[in-house]
PDB file of all heavy atoms in Angstrom:
ATOM      1  N   ILE O 118      54.584  84.796  69.109  1.00  0.00           N
ATOM      2  CA  ILE O 118      54.393  86.166  69.592  1.00  0.00           C
ATOM      3  C   ILE O 118      54.862  87.174  68.536  1.00  0.00           C
ATOM      4  O   ILE O 118      54.217  88.180  68.257  1.00  0.00           O
ATOM      5  CB  ILE O 118      55.145  86.398  70.920  1.00  0.00           C
ATOM      6  CG1 ILE O 118      54.580  85.467  71.992  1.00  0.00           C
ATOM      7  CG2 ILE O 118      55.021  87.842  71.374  1.00  0.00           C
ATOM      8  CD1 ILE O 118      55.402  85.464  73.249  1.00  0.00           C
ATOM      9  N   TYR O 119      55.998  86.842  67.963  1.00  0.00           N
ATOM     10  CA  TYR O 119      56.566  87.684  66.913  1.00  0.00           C
ATOM     11  C   TYR O 119      55.541  87.870  65.786  1.00  0.00           C
ATOM     12  O   TYR O 119      55.250  88.987  65.346  1.00  0.00           O
ATOM     13  CB  TYR O 119      57.845  87.011  66.389  1.00  0.00           C
ATOM     14  CG  TYR O 119      58.651  87.830  65.412  1.00  0.00           C
ATOM     15  CD1 TYR O 119      59.739  88.556  65.850  1.00  0.00           C
ATOM     16  CD2 TYR O 119      58.338  87.848  64.058  1.00  0.00           C
ATOM     17  CE1 TYR O 119      60.504  89.302  64.970  1.00  0.00           C
ATOM     18  CE2 TYR O 119      59.084  88.592  63.167  1.00  0.00           C
ATOM     19  CZ  TYR O 119      60.178  89.320  63.627  1.00  0.00           C
ATOM     20  OH  TYR O 119      60.913  90.058  62.752  1.00  0.00           O
ATOM     21  N   CYS O 120      54.963  86.755  65.372  1.00  0.00           N
ATOM     22  CA  CYS O 120      53.984  86.814  64.266  1.00  0.00           C
ATOM     23  C   CYS O 120      52.719  87.576  64.665  1.00  0.00           C
ATOM     24  O   CYS O 120      52.163  88.330  63.879  1.00  0.00           O
ATOM     25  CB  CYS O 120      53.605  85.411  63.810  1.00  0.00           C
ATOM     26  SG  CYS O 120      54.998  84.523  63.124  1.00  0.00           S
ATOM     27  N   TRP O 121      52.280  87.345  65.923  1.00  0.00           N
ATOM     28  CA  TRP O 121      51.063  88.038  66.373  1.00  0.00           C
ATOM     29  C   TRP O 121      51.265  89.547  66.367  1.00  0.00           C
ATOM     30  O   TRP O 121      50.387  90.298  65.987  1.00  0.00           O
ATOM     31  CB  TRP O 121      50.697  87.610  67.793  1.00  0.00           C
ATOM     32  CG  TRP O 121      50.317  86.181  67.915  1.00  0.00           C
ATOM     33  CD1 TRP O 121      49.858  85.371  66.919  1.00  0.00           C
ATOM     34  CD2 TRP O 121      50.384  85.389  69.096  1.00  0.00           C
ATOM     35  NE1 TRP O 121      49.629  84.107  67.418  1.00  0.00           N
ATOM     36  CE2 TRP O 121      49.934  84.101  68.741  1.00  0.00           C
ATOM     37  CE3 TRP O 121      50.749  85.635  70.414  1.00  0.00           C
ATOM     38  CZ2 TRP O 121      49.858  83.061  69.671  1.00  0.00           C
ATOM     39  CZ3 TRP O 121      50.671  84.622  71.332  1.00  0.00           C
ATOM     40  CH2 TRP O 121      50.237  83.344  70.975  1.00  0.00           C
ATOM     41  N   ILE O 122      52.440  89.965  66.846  1.00  0.00           N
ATOM     42  CA  ILE O 122      52.691  91.413  66.905  1.00  0.00           C
ATOM     43  C   ILE O 122      52.737  91.977  65.479  1.00  0.00           C
ATOM     44  O   ILE O 122      52.144  93.027  65.203  1.00  0.00           O
ATOM     45  CB  ILE O 122      53.992  91.725  67.682  1.00  0.00           C
ATOM     46  CG1 ILE O 122      53.814  91.306  69.144  1.00  0.00           C
ATOM     47  CG2 ILE O 122      54.352  93.198  67.601  1.00  0.00           C
ATOM     48  CD1 ILE O 122      55.066  91.402  69.967  1.00  0.00           C
ATOM     49  N   GLN O 123      53.364  91.223  64.580  1.00  0.00           N
ATOM     50  CA  GLN O 123      53.370  91.649  63.174  1.00  0.00           C
ATOM     51  C   GLN O 123      51.950  91.796  62.647  1.00  0.00           C
ATOM     52  O   GLN O 123      51.613  92.801  62.021  1.00  0.00           O
ATOM     53  CB  GLN O 123      54.089  90.592  62.333  1.00  0.00           C
ATOM     54  CG  GLN O 123      55.547  90.870  62.160  1.00  0.00           C
ATOM     55  CD  GLN O 123      56.171  89.892  61.186  1.00  0.00           C
ATOM     56  OE1 GLN O 123      55.691  88.776  60.990  1.00  0.00           O
ATOM     57  NE2 GLN O 123      57.244  90.328  60.571  1.00  0.00           N
ATOM     58  N   HIS O 124      51.141  90.782  62.971  1.00  0.00           N
ATOM     59  CA  HIS O 124      49.735  90.802  62.545  1.00  0.00           C
ATOM     60  C   HIS O 124      49.024  92.048  63.080  1.00  0.00           C
ATOM     61  O   HIS O 124      48.322  92.749  62.363  1.00  0.00           O
ATOM     62  CB  HIS O 124      49.071  89.522  63.064  1.00  0.00           C
ATOM     63  CG  HIS O 124      47.645  89.386  62.658  1.00  0.00           C
ATOM     64  ND1 HIS O 124      47.273  88.794  61.480  1.00  0.00           N
ATOM     65  CD2 HIS O 124      46.497  89.773  63.267  1.00  0.00           C
ATOM     66  CE1 HIS O 124      45.957  88.814  61.379  1.00  0.00           C
ATOM     67  NE2 HIS O 124      45.466  89.405  62.457  1.00  0.00           N
ATOM     68  N   ALA O 125      49.266  92.330  64.356  1.00  0.00           N
ATOM     69  CA  ALA O 125      48.626  93.504  64.992  1.00  0.00           C
ATOM     70  C   ALA O 125      49.082  94.796  64.304  1.00  0.00           C
ATOM     71  O   ALA O 125      48.286  95.720  64.120  1.00  0.00           O
ATOM     72  CB  ALA O 125      48.955  93.530  66.478  1.00  0.00           C
ATOM     73  N   ILE O 126      50.346  94.846  63.914  1.00  0.00           N
ATOM     74  CA  ILE O 126      50.851  96.050  63.240  1.00  0.00           C
ATOM     75  C   ILE O 126      50.165  96.227  61.892  1.00  0.00           C
ATOM     76  O   ILE O 126      49.749  97.333  61.525  1.00  0.00           O
ATOM     77  CB  ILE O 126      52.388  95.998  63.080  1.00  0.00           C
ATOM     78  CG1 ILE O 126      53.061  95.982  64.459  1.00  0.00           C
ATOM     79  CG2 ILE O 126      52.905  97.187  62.278  1.00  0.00           C
ATOM     80  CD1 ILE O 126      54.524  95.603  64.431  1.00  0.00           C
ATOM     81  N   TRP O 127      50.007  95.103  61.168  1.00  0.00           N
ATOM     82  CA  TRP O 127      49.289  95.195  59.884  1.00  0.00           C
ATOM     83  C   TRP O 127      47.870  95.693  60.078  1.00  0.00           C
ATOM     84  O   TRP O 127      47.337  96.388  59.237  1.00  0.00           O
ATOM     85  CB  TRP O 127      49.250  93.820  59.197  1.00  0.00           C
ATOM     86  CG  TRP O 127      50.570  93.321  58.739  1.00  0.00           C
ATOM     87  CD1 TRP O 127      51.629  94.083  58.366  1.00  0.00           C
ATOM     88  CD2 TRP O 127      50.968  91.962  58.605  1.00  0.00           C
ATOM     89  NE1 TRP O 127      52.690  93.277  58.019  1.00  0.00           N
ATOM     90  CE2 TRP O 127      52.307  91.975  58.146  1.00  0.00           C
ATOM     91  CE3 TRP O 127      50.343  90.733  58.838  1.00  0.00           C
ATOM     92  CZ2 TRP O 127      53.015  90.794  57.920  1.00  0.00           C
ATOM     93  CZ3 TRP O 127      51.045  89.564  58.598  1.00  0.00           C
ATOM     94  CH2 TRP O 127      52.376  89.602  58.145  1.00  0.00           C
ATOM     95  N   ARG O 128      47.294  95.270  61.204  1.00  0.00           N
ATOM     96  CA  ARG O 128      45.915  95.674  61.483  1.00  0.00           C
ATOM     97  C   ARG O 128      45.855  97.031  62.164  1.00  0.00           C
ATOM     98  O   ARG O 128      44.912  97.333  62.884  1.00  0.00           O
ATOM     99  CB  ARG O 128      45.213  94.618  62.365  1.00  0.00           C
ATOM    100  CG  ARG O 128      45.090  93.252  61.733  1.00  0.00           C
ATOM    101  CD  ARG O 128      44.171  93.290  60.529  1.00  0.00           C
ATOM    102  NE  ARG O 128      43.843  91.955  60.058  1.00  0.00           N
ATOM    103  CZ  ARG O 128      42.740  91.302  60.404  1.00  0.00           C
ATOM    104  NH1 ARG O 128      41.865  91.839  61.208  1.00  0.00           N
ATOM    105  NH2 ARG O 128      42.511  90.103  59.930  1.00  0.00           N
ATOM    106  N   LYS O 129      46.888  97.818  62.015  1.00  0.00           N
ATOM    107  CA  LYS O 129      46.928  99.206  62.518  1.00  0.00           C
ATOM    108  C   LYS O 129      46.674  99.318  64.020  1.00  0.00           C
ATOM    109  O   LYS O 129      45.863 100.123  64.471  1.00  0.00           O
ATOM    110  CB  LYS O 129      45.915 100.077  61.755  1.00  0.00           C
ATOM    111  CG  LYS O 129      46.159 100.107  60.254  1.00  0.00           C
ATOM    112  CD  LYS O 129      45.308 101.174  59.622  1.00  0.00           C
ATOM    113  CE  LYS O 129      45.363 101.214  58.119  1.00  0.00           C
ATOM    114  NZ  LYS O 129      46.637 100.892  57.488  1.00  0.00           N
ATOM    115  N   VAL O 130      47.379  98.507  64.766  1.00  0.00           N
ATOM    116  CA  VAL O 130      47.173  98.480  66.216  1.00  0.00           C
ATOM    117  C   VAL O 130      47.505  99.836  66.867  1.00  0.00           C
ATOM    118  O   VAL O 130      48.412 100.529  66.434  1.00  0.00           O
ATOM    119  CB  VAL O 130      48.016  97.328  66.844  1.00  0.00           C
ATOM    120  CG1 VAL O 130      49.497  97.616  66.722  1.00  0.00           C
ATOM    121  CG2 VAL O 130      47.619  97.067  68.283  1.00  0.00           C
ATOM    122  N   ARG O 131      46.701 100.176  67.902  1.00  0.00           N
ATOM    123  CA  ARG O 131      46.939 101.434  68.606  1.00  0.00           C
ATOM    124  C   ARG O 131      47.615 101.202  69.962  1.00  0.00           C
ATOM    125  O   ARG O 131      48.372 102.005  70.437  1.00  0.00           O
ATOM    126  CB  ARG O 131      45.613 102.175  68.844  1.00  0.00           C
ATOM    127  CG  ARG O 131      45.027 102.770  67.568  1.00  0.00           C
ATOM    128  CD  ARG O 131      43.610 103.281  67.809  1.00  0.00           C
ATOM    129  NE  ARG O 131      43.550 104.203  68.925  1.00  0.00           N
ATOM    130  CZ  ARG O 131      43.807 105.502  68.828  1.00  0.00           C
ATOM    131  NH1 ARG O 131      44.150 106.027  67.667  1.00  0.00           N
ATOM    132  NH2 ARG O 131      43.738 106.285  69.884  1.00  0.00           N
ATOM    133  N   GLU O 132      47.250 100.077  70.600  1.00  0.00           N
ATOM    134  CA  GLU O 132      47.837  99.802  71.917  1.00  0.00           C
ATOM    135  C   GLU O 132      48.394  98.385  71.962  1.00  0.00           C
ATOM    136  O   GLU O 132      47.684  97.446  71.601  1.00  0.00           O
ATOM    137  CB  GLU O 132      46.787  99.917  73.010  1.00  0.00           C
ATOM    138  CG  GLU O 132      46.243 101.292  73.220  1.00  0.00           C
ATOM    139  CD  GLU O 132      45.135 101.293  74.276  1.00  0.00           C
ATOM    140  OE1 GLU O 132      45.239 100.591  75.285  1.00  0.00           O
ATOM    141  OE2 GLU O 132      44.138 101.989  74.045  1.00  0.00           O
ATOM    142  N   ILE O 133      49.637  98.238  72.408  1.00  0.00           N
ATOM    143  CA  ILE O 133      50.194  96.907  72.638  1.00  0.00           C
ATOM    144  C   ILE O 133      50.615  96.825  74.099  1.00  0.00           C
ATOM    145  O   ILE O 133      51.274  97.719  74.631  1.00  0.00           O
ATOM    146  CB  ILE O 133      51.400  96.612  71.713  1.00  0.00           C
ATOM    147  CG1 ILE O 133      50.934  96.452  70.277  1.00  0.00           C
ATOM    148  CG2 ILE O 133      52.153  95.371  72.180  1.00  0.00           C
ATOM    149  CD1 ILE O 133      52.040  96.097  69.299  1.00  0.00           C
ATOM    150  N   ASP O 134      50.170  95.760  74.751  1.00  0.00           N
ATOM    151  CA  ASP O 134      50.491  95.554  76.154  1.00  0.00           C
ATOM    152  C   ASP O 134      50.959  94.108  76.290  1.00  0.00           C
ATOM    153  O   ASP O 134      50.159  93.182  76.231  1.00  0.00           O
ATOM    154  CB  ASP O 134      49.231  95.821  76.986  1.00  0.00           C
ATOM    155  CG  ASP O 134      49.519  95.814  78.475  1.00  0.00           C
ATOM    156  OD1 ASP O 134      50.534  95.217  78.875  1.00  0.00           O
ATOM    157  OD2 ASP O 134      48.716  96.386  79.236  1.00  0.00           O
ATOM    158  N   LEU O 135      52.249  93.920  76.432  1.00  0.00           N
ATOM    159  CA  LEU O 135      52.811  92.586  76.429  1.00  0.00           C
ATOM    160  C   LEU O 135      53.411  92.289  77.795  1.00  0.00           C
ATOM    161  O   LEU O 135      54.240  93.038  78.293  1.00  0.00           O
ATOM    162  CB  LEU O 135      53.915  92.541  75.359  1.00  0.00           C
ATOM    163  CG  LEU O 135      54.392  91.208  74.851  1.00  0.00           C
ATOM    164  CD1 LEU O 135      53.247  90.423  74.260  1.00  0.00           C
ATOM    165  CD2 LEU O 135      55.468  91.451  73.784  1.00  0.00           C
ATOM    166  N   ASN O 136      52.952  91.210  78.406  1.00  0.00           N
ATOM    167  CA  ASN O 136      53.389  90.873  79.753  1.00  0.00           C
ATOM    168  C   ASN O 136      53.881  89.431  79.747  1.00  0.00           C
ATOM    169  O   ASN O 136      53.090  88.507  79.753  1.00  0.00           O
ATOM    170  CB  ASN O 136      52.185  91.052  80.684  1.00  0.00           C
ATOM    171  CG  ASN O 136      52.556  90.949  82.121  1.00  0.00           C
ATOM    172  OD1 ASN O 136      53.623  90.448  82.475  1.00  0.00           O
ATOM    173  ND2 ASN O 136      51.669  91.425  82.978  1.00  0.00           N
ATOM    174  N   VAL O 137      55.176  89.239  79.661  1.00  0.00           N
ATOM    175  CA  VAL O 137      55.737  87.892  79.534  1.00  0.00           C
ATOM    176  C   VAL O 137      56.756  87.666  80.639  1.00  0.00           C
ATOM    177  O   VAL O 137      57.770  88.360  80.713  1.00  0.00           O
ATOM    178  CB  VAL O 137      56.447  87.711  78.178  1.00  0.00           C
ATOM    179  CG1 VAL O 137      56.824  86.250  77.990  1.00  0.00           C
ATOM    180  CG2 VAL O 137      55.575  88.170  77.036  1.00  0.00           C
ATOM    181  N   MET O 138      56.484  86.700  81.494  1.00  0.00           N
ATOM    182  CA  MET O 138      57.420  86.432  82.577  1.00  0.00           C
ATOM    183  C   MET O 138      58.381  85.323  82.179  1.00  0.00           C
ATOM    184  O   MET O 138      58.283  84.209  82.643  1.00  0.00           O
ATOM    185  CB  MET O 138      56.636  86.016  83.840  1.00  0.00           C
ATOM    186  CG  MET O 138      55.865  87.143  84.479  1.00  0.00           C
ATOM    187  SD  MET O 138      56.946  88.492  84.971  1.00  0.00           S
ATOM    188  CE  MET O 138      56.393  89.784  83.909  1.00  0.00           C
ATOM    189  N   ASP O 139      59.274  85.617  81.288  1.00  0.00           N
ATOM    190  CA  ASP O 139      60.241  84.607  80.897  1.00  0.00           C
ATOM    191  C   ASP O 139      61.556  85.320  80.642  1.00  0.00           C
ATOM    192  O   ASP O 139      61.568  86.489  80.281  1.00  0.00           O
ATOM    193  CB  ASP O 139      59.754  83.904  79.625  1.00  0.00           C
ATOM    194  CG  ASP O 139      60.449  82.565  79.461  1.00  0.00           C
ATOM    195  OD1 ASP O 139      61.525  82.363  80.058  1.00  0.00           O
ATOM    196  OD2 ASP O 139      59.919  81.720  78.727  1.00  0.00           O
ATOM    197  N   VAL O 140      62.644  84.606  80.871  1.00  0.00           N
ATOM    198  CA  VAL O 140      63.946  85.269  80.744  1.00  0.00           C
ATOM    199  C   VAL O 140      64.703  84.713  79.552  1.00  0.00           C
ATOM    200  O   VAL O 140      65.185  83.594  79.582  1.00  0.00           O
ATOM    201  CB  VAL O 140      64.781  85.059  82.028  1.00  0.00           C
ATOM    202  CG1 VAL O 140      66.038  85.899  81.982  1.00  0.00           C
ATOM    203  CG2 VAL O 140      63.971  85.377  83.251  1.00  0.00           C
ATOM    204  N   ARG O 141      64.768  85.449  78.508  1.00  0.00           N
ATOM    205  CA  ARG O 141      65.608  85.098  77.360  1.00  0.00           C
ATOM    206  C   ARG O 141      65.621  86.282  76.399  1.00  0.00           C
ATOM    207  O   ARG O 141      64.744  87.146  76.471  1.00  0.00           O
ATOM    208  CB  ARG O 141      65.110  83.831  76.672  1.00  0.00           C
ATOM    209  CG  ARG O 141      63.699  83.966  76.094  1.00  0.00           C
ATOM    210  CD  ARG O 141      63.294  82.700  75.394  1.00  0.00           C
ATOM    211  NE  ARG O 141      62.844  81.696  76.342  1.00  0.00           N
ATOM    212  CZ  ARG O 141      63.100  80.402  76.211  1.00  0.00           C
ATOM    213  NH1 ARG O 141      63.821  79.974  75.214  1.00  0.00           N
ATOM    214  NH2 ARG O 141      62.640  79.540  77.088  1.00  0.00           N
ATOM    215  N   PRO O 142      66.591  86.328  75.524  1.00  0.00           N
ATOM    216  CA  PRO O 142      66.597  87.433  74.561  1.00  0.00           C
ATOM    217  C   PRO O 142      65.468  87.261  73.567  1.00  0.00           C
ATOM    218  O   PRO O 142      65.127  86.134  73.220  1.00  0.00           O
ATOM    219  CB  PRO O 142      67.966  87.303  73.862  1.00  0.00           C
ATOM    220  CG  PRO O 142      68.747  86.354  74.678  1.00  0.00           C
ATOM    221  CD  PRO O 142      67.780  85.485  75.385  1.00  0.00           C
ATOM    222  N   PHE O 143      64.900  88.344  73.147  1.00  0.00           N
ATOM    223  CA  PHE O 143      63.781  88.252  72.203  1.00  0.00           C
ATOM    224  C   PHE O 143      63.806  89.448  71.270  1.00  0.00           C
ATOM    225  O   PHE O 143      63.923  90.583  71.715  1.00  0.00           O
ATOM    226  CB  PHE O 143      62.456  88.194  72.971  1.00  0.00           C
ATOM    227  CG  PHE O 143      61.247  88.138  72.090  1.00  0.00           C
ATOM    228  CD1 PHE O 143      61.108  87.133  71.140  1.00  0.00           C
ATOM    229  CD2 PHE O 143      60.248  89.098  72.191  1.00  0.00           C
ATOM    230  CE1 PHE O 143      59.988  87.077  70.322  1.00  0.00           C
ATOM    231  CE2 PHE O 143      59.121  89.046  71.383  1.00  0.00           C
ATOM    232  CZ  PHE O 143      58.998  88.022  70.437  1.00  0.00           C
ATOM    233  N   MET O 144      63.718  89.132  70.008  1.00  0.00           N
ATOM    234  CA  MET O 144      63.704  90.201  69.001  1.00  0.00           C
ATOM    235  C   MET O 144      62.251  90.542  68.695  1.00  0.00           C
ATOM    236  O   MET O 144      61.495  89.675  68.245  1.00  0.00           O
ATOM    237  CB  MET O 144      64.420  89.685  67.754  1.00  0.00           C
ATOM    238  CG  MET O 144      64.314  90.588  66.565  1.00  0.00           C
ATOM    239  SD  MET O 144      65.515  91.889  66.640  1.00  0.00           S
ATOM    240  CE  MET O 144      66.761  91.215  65.566  1.00  0.00           C
TER     241      MET O 144
END
Side-chain angles (χ1 to χ4, degrees):
Chain O
I118 297 171
Y119 187 97
C120 296
W121 295 337
I122 295 173
Q123 267 187 334
H124 182 88
I126 296 166
W127 292 331
R128 298 294 191 96
K129 301 191 185 325
V130 67
R131 289 170 54 84
E132 293 177 40
I133 290 183
D134 188 338
L135 198 58
N136 189 343
V137 189
M138 289 301 115
D139 200 339
V140 188
R141 62 179 80 218
F143 178 56
M144 172 82 99

